Amino acid sequence: MLYPSRALVIIPTYNERENLCHLVPAIFAVDPRLHILVIDDASPDRTAEAVCEMQKEGCDTKLFLLSRPGKMGLGSAYIQGFKWGLERKYDFLIQMDADWSHNPGDLARMLRLANEYDFVVGSRYIAGGGTVNWGIWRKLISRSAGIYSRLVLRSGFADFTGGFNGWSDEVLEAIRPEMLRSDGYSFQIELKYRADRLGFTHAEFPIVFTERRSGKSKMSFAIALEACWRVWQFRFKHRNGPRKF
Ligand SMILES: Nc1nc2c(ncn2[C@@H]2O[C@H](COP(=O)(O)OP(=O)(O)O)[C@@H](O)[C@H]2O)c(=O)[nH]1
Ligand SMILES: [Mg+2]
């Protein structure tokens, strides 16, 4: 693909009003051609209203909002976002957190890599990448989940669980994300594994993940635990070779 002509940044939100108000202009500053889709799950802090206000302030042609009636999870938000983007013919769809853990400046590199690869993975675990403000437990869980997934799935992603990734429309059409049932860590693992098994090319590039500046993480032990048994499910579900399932 040439430099994506229609790229969409998809941002699921739950109580991210403050973060989002600063993040949206920062993303447009990286490349004014980018479009943004916020998927909000009825955040009590009225994140959705903040998006409507920004739309009224002049970005209604490139900032969009999907409001859902209640908290339905990160995986299902992305599935809905991918579907929304594919229906509107975006050619590169990016997953990004609202809490500044993912640096908007890294979008430029991701978009450049989209020229050469079918999907692009922001990676904390290659040279130049890392995490900031994580406690020992969080580090341990993330590292272990990555190593465990690599072993079970016999796959080479350095950062299997990360959530800052970009996908060409072709990859997502082939994956059919609406068929995925997992959430959290498992969702990120399954997307990458499935795309790789389908024979699509990818690049990992280093990112520094900074723990949220404000608000609370929704990451839980249960989400990590889900990933432990899910990877076995993925291994058998997607065991057929490239483009066969
Ligand atoms: N729409 C939606 N967004 C969510 C949900 N859970 C988390 N998010 C968003 O997903 C992103 C990552 O969540 P976060 O709690 O920061 O997870 P962590 O970075 O892994 O600790 C943030 O933008 C959250 O607001 C959810 O149930 N629905
Ligand atoms: Mg976060």
Side-chain angles (χ1 to χ4, degrees):
M1 189 205 309
L2 290 174
Y3 189 87
S5 53
R6 298 201 69 222
L8 178 70
V9 182
I10 302 172
I11 310 177
T13 55
Y14 191 74
N15 283 343
E16 304 284 8
R17 186 186 177 92
E18 273 294 298
N19 286 324
L20 198 68
C21 287
H22 297 102
L23 185 65
V24 165
I27 292 172
F28 289 142
V30 171
D31 189 331
R33 291 170 296 181
L34 286 169
H35 285 193
I36 300 174
L37 172 66
V38 175
I39 302 174
D40 185 68
D41 281 359
S43 298
D45 78 346
R46 307 192 322 140
T47 302
E49 278 89 332
V51 176
C52 295
E53 278 158 30
M54 286 189 273
Q55 286 175 324
K56 278 188 214 136
E57 282 160 18
C59 36
D60 56 328
T61 55
K62 50 186 193 170
L63 173 63
F64 305 97
L65 172 69
L66 273 180
S67 278
R68 307 198 301 175
K71 191 168 182 331
M72 293 154 79
L74 191 65
S76 82
Y78 275 126
I79 289 168
Q80 222 169 319
F82 288 149
K83 187 167 177 280
W84 188 97
L86 292 173
E87 280 167 4
R88 285 158 186 80
K89 305 290 174 215
Y90 286 95
D91 58 10
F92 194 66
L93 297 90
I94 297 168
Q95 300 173 265
M96 189 170 184
D97 289 356
D99 57 359
W100 287 86
S101 290
H102 301 146
N103 179 355
D106 288 334
L107 287 168
R109 186 151 182 207
M110 187 184 274
L111 290 163
R112 278 197 303 275
L113 286 165
N115 283 319
E116 289 170 63
Y117 299 93
D118 298 321
F119 65 105
V120 183
V121 172
S123 183
R124 299 159 292 182
Y125 303 130
I126 56 175
T131 54
V132 174
N133 293 342
W134 263 13
I136 183 77
W137 279 111
R138 189 74 200 262
K139 277 188 184 164
L140 207 68
I141 291 174
S142 173
R143 278 284 195 179
S144 317
I147 294 168
Y148 179 81
S149 309
R150 271 205 305 283
L151 287 175
V152 174
L153 298 173
R154 299 186 203 130
S155 195
F157 292 98
D159 194 339
F160 234 137
T161 55
F164 191 30
N165 312 301
W167 308 87
S168 78
D169 53 349
E170 211 187 314
V171 178
L172 292 176
E173 299 274 12
I175 289 181
R176 286 182 292 141
E178 69 280 4
M179 306 295 285
L180 309 184
R181 290 285 168 269
S182 46
D183 209 357
Y185 272 170
S186 324
F187 180 75
Q188 312 294 1
I189 298 168
E190 190 172 16
L191 270 180
K192 288 172 199 142
Y193 184 58
R194 191 157 178 171
D196 191 39
R197 295 289 294 161
L198 283 165
F200 289 106
T201 62
H202 74 274
E204 285 192 66
F205 76 105
I207 58 160
V208 174
F209 179 101
T210 310
E211 187 49 75
R212 56 174 56 250
R213 290 180 187 176
S214 63
K216 260 186 24 206
S217 167
K218 287 110 212 163
M219 166 66 199
S220 69
F221 191 64
I223 290 175
L225 213 61
E226 185 198 353
C228 289
W229 64 267
R230 283 274 189 193
V231 288
W232 286 98
Q233 194 186 36
F234 303 156
R235 179 166 154 177
F236 293 105
K237 189 167 149 195
H238 306 311
R239 68 176 171 270
N240 293 336
R243 294 172 200 270
K244 285 216 183 100
F245 60 85

